[in-house]
Amino acid sequence: MKQVVLIPGDGIGPEIAAAVKEIFKAAGVPVEWIEVAAGIDVIGQHPLGISEESLALIREHGVVLKGPTTTPQGGGHQSINVLIRRRLGLFANVRPVKTLPGIKTPFEGIDIITVRENLEDTYGGIEYYQSPNVAQGLKIISRAGAFRSVYNAFELASHYERKKITCVHKANIHKATDGLFLTVFREVSAQYPEIKAEDILVDNLCMQLVTRPEKFDVLVMPNLYGDIVSDLCAGLTGGLGLAPSANVGRSVVVFESVHGSAPDIAGKGVANPTALLSSALMLLRHIGLFDHANRIQRSLEKSFMDGKVTRDLGGDLTTAEFVSAICEDLKDEIPEQGESKAFVRKKLPALVLSTDSFERLVGIDLYFQNSAIPDQVPEEIGTLRLEAITNRGVRIESMPPEIDKIDVYCARYIASDSAVDQKDIRELLAAFDRLSINWVHVEKLFEMQQGNSFTAI
Ligand code: NAI
């Protein structure tokens, strides 16, 4: 018996988790569930969050099936999904979508796995107000984050003998951040010559997904694009009610449905358990129980082909009736006696960091809040010379008057000499203070061997 942690969650979570347990029991799956509470207490309706003991249990067992959990709006506990991902370092989110027999979809032959970086990008929650009218969010892409998700995508593709991986990005605009993700993708792809590696701009991908989705195989991308593109892929193959996922870390994998806790139908006995069941089948394949997974998969597909589906797919079955249909079909399914081949990821290779370094501090970008450009912005302080003032990244002298300016400007100072003297930065800030110009943040500009650490204006 393999022990697996089960988080039923809240809303429809307990109903669909019970459905999975019943189907596993009928199929004789050798899994023992260790149940852990998280989300909103179903009886008391108070927020439970997730306890330290539960996180320790998850770390100990390493394999989790998680039902959806409600995130209270405007207060209450933090999103349990975000908390689990961060606390357990679940660096990649894997979402396979496939056209299923019996499910009407606009296209045939879709079989796509999206792999989404899961911890970085704009999801780090690093956001500020620069002025009451201007909000800023930091998009962080690290070599480590990109490497772990890209490496996982290639390992997955290699294990399941997929032919092609496409890196999705917007490196023509996000030159540094998406540029780094793409660089790492190219480096890792060189280690897998048997898998065709391509890249595509995210906008072009979206257009092609809704015209020729069958041409894509495995997609790997930063967090935000992954969030959107994977839902698009789910929509192409029957909707969120069918979409499974896995959150992958070094030693923990959390399998869960893509949909949420569906409070509008919770307790009514009509929820479709397919997404959680399909996540559970991914889990079985992960631990090497392929035959059990395939047998349940065939019964599930037979129910679809017979038109035995829940309301969300146009049928009239309750959750219980749908589960009975699958369990009934299971009786006709002859268990396979094939070889079990668990997906064992090779030990994560050591991260190769860039050997480049910041050679020289060449200037600073100094952001200040003001309703207009002040009369007396310092032109020169020590080694620093004012090169340009920009608004939303555009030099103010190139902005036609009819274009709205925001109340946060950036003054770029570049070293007139060979390098910036650090004390000149402090003096420049002091000069802004004396002039009562409210500076809000400073970015240092470095020269590296392979170009600059900043973009030109
Ligand atoms: P949702 O996915 O829960 O529901 C959207 C719509 O899809 C609803 O009409 C719902 O009835 C329907 N639906 C979802 N799953 C279904 C199923 N299995 N069978 C039949 N119909 C289904 O999204 P919503 O309403 O935006 O979120 C509700 C709560 O879930 C929120 O608190 C949100 O934060 C949380 N959530 C949790 C997730 C997780 O735990 N992984 C993921 C997404 C949302």
Side-chain angles (χ1 to χ4, degrees):
M1 279 280 182
K2 170 80 183 167
Q3 291 188 318
V4 172
V5 174
L6 174 67
I7 303 174
D10 56 50
I12 58 169
E15 301 165 44
I16 56 178
V20 171
K21 279 163 72 177
E22 194 175 330
I23 293 165
F24 270 33
K25 197 169 171 199
V29 179
V31 155
E32 182 190 335
W33 301 107
I34 299 171
E35 288 205 24
V36 155
I40 307 276
D41 173 37
V42 180
I43 298 162
Q45 290 299 310
H46 60 271
L48 290 170
I50 185 162
S51 67
E52 288 299 324
E53 292 76 25
S54 302
L55 289 171
L57 258 179
I58 293 175
R59 269 192 216 97
E60 184 190 331
H61 292 284
V63 187
V64 182
L65 180 66
K66 179 185 167 294
T69 45
T70 303
T71 304
Q73 311 245 325
H77 61 74
Q78 187 191 2
S79 158
I80 287 165
N81 299 312
V82 174
L83 192 144
I84 289 179
R85 266 175 227 165
R86 290 202 186 150
R87 288 288 302 276
L88 303 173
L90 305 180
F91 52 76
N93 183 259
V94 179
R95 292 186 182 180
V97 295
K98 202 171 176 174
T99 30
L100 291 168
I103 301 291
K104 283 204 188 82
T105 52
F107 299 96
E108 292 297 317
I110 300 175
D111 185 1
I112 299 173
I113 301 176
T114 59
V115 181
R116 162 188 172 190
E117 193 287 318
N118 216 17
L119 298 170
E120 303 189 333
D121 198 346
T122 48
Y123 286 65
I126 311 172
E127 298 206 337
Y128 309 93
Y129 274 88
Q130 292 190 337
S131 88
N133 301 301
V134 181
Q136 168 197 6
L138 293 191
K139 169 166 169 147
I140 306 284
I141 302 280
S142 74
R143 192 165 258 283
F147 174 76
R148 300 228 151 86
S149 44
V150 168
Y151 174 76
N152 190 75
F154 274 96
E155 276 295 285
L156 194 78
S158 171
H159 181 83
Y160 290 109
E161 294 171 4
R162 309 287 291 223
K163 301 278 174 286
K164 184 172 77 168
I165 301 196
T166 309
C167 177
V168 182
H169 62 89
K170 192 75 184 167
N172 55 336
I173 306 295
H174 297 294
K175 292 182 191 300
T177 47
D178 286 11
L180 176 58
F181 196 91
L182 184 57
T183 300
V184 172
F185 173 79
R186 288 184 176 143
E187 285 169 10
V188 176
S189 71
Q191 296 171 36
Y192 296 84
E194 73 283 8
I195 301 172
K196 191 173 174 200
E198 292 180 348
D199 69 278
I200 188 168
L201 295 176
V202 62
D203 41 347
N204 186 6
L205 171 83
C206 290
M207 190 272 292
Q208 295 206 32
L209 274 175
V210 294
T211 47
R212 286 185 298 159
E214 65 287 345
K215 66 179 275 199
F216 294 102
D217 190 345
V218 178
L219 305 173
V220 63
M221 65 202 92
N223 209 338
L224 178 61
Y225 310 142
D227 194 359
I228 299 163
V229 167
S230 59
D231 270 27
L232 195 163
C233 291
L236 288 174
T237 49
L240 288 185
L242 301 174
S245 80
N247 290 289
V248 182
R250 273 183 171 223
S251 49
V252 175
V253 188
V254 177
F255 296 86
E256 65 174 340
S257 49
V258 169
H259 64 71
S261 56
D264 52 335
I265 56 166
K268 296 187 179 158
V270 295
N272 182 356
T274 304
L276 191 66
L277 180 63
S278 298
S279 308
L281 300 187
M282 283 175 83
L283 183 156
L284 291 186
R285 293 184 177 108
H286 176 77
I287 59 177
L289 296 174
F290 276 80
D291 299 344
H292 290 89
N294 293 343
R295 189 171 160 227
I296 297 171
Q297 180 82 39
R298 287 195 298 271
S299 302
L300 175 68
E301 289 179 6
K302 181 163 187 308
S303 293
F304 289 152
M305 283 188 292
D306 293 345
K308 294 180 196 161
V309 289
T310 43
R311 278 191 340 198
D312 56 305
L313 294 177
D316 58 3
L317 296 196
T318 62
T319 313
E321 288 164 347
F322 182 62
V323 169
S324 298
I326 295 173
C327 292
E328 199 51 41
D329 289 338
L330 269 173
K331 289 184 191 149
D332 304 330
E333 281 292 341
I334 299 149
E336 289 167 16
Q337 296 299 325
E339 286 279 303
S340 290
K341 188 175 159 218
F343 171 35
V344 182
R345 245 179 317 145
K346 278 184 257 156
K347 204 166 176 293
L348 207 56
L351 176 65
V352 181
L353 292 174
S354 167
T355 52
D356 206 347
S357 60
F358 284 165
E359 300 275 293
R360 194 168 69 100
L361 178 59
V362 292
I364 61 165
D365 274 348
L366 179 54
Y367 290 82
F368 59 93
Q369 187 212 344
N370 226 61
S371 54
I373 300 175
D375 295 334
Q376 299 169 289
V377 178
E379 286 285 337
E380 199 159 344
I381 298 269
T383 50
L384 290 168
R385 191 180 39 76
L386 179 64
E387 185 185 83
I389 298 180
T390 57
N391 193 283
R392 283 187 181 154
V394 180
R395 286 172 179 259
I396 40 136
E397 64 270 21
S398 330
M399 282 182 102
E402 70 273 17
I403 303 271
D404 281 337
K405 293 187 188 56
I406 59 170
D407 58 359
V408 175
Y409 291 82
C410 172
R412 173 163 289 184
Y413 288 86
I414 295 291
S416 51
D417 212 341
S418 69
V420 174
D421 187 338
Q422 296 267 8
K423 88 170 168 11
D424 293 338
I425 299 175
R426 290 191 288 277
E427 277 185 22
L428 182 64
L429 297 182
F432 268 67
D433 287 342
R434 278 194 301 279
L435 293 163
S436 301
I437 308 174
N438 182 25
W439 61 271
V440 287
H441 97 250
V442 181
E443 219 43 80
K444 283 183 173 176
L445 312 176
F446 291 96
E447 190 179 77
M448 305 192 294
Q449 288 157 352
Q450 292 169 23
N452 286 330
S453 69
F454 56 93
T455 48
I457 47 174

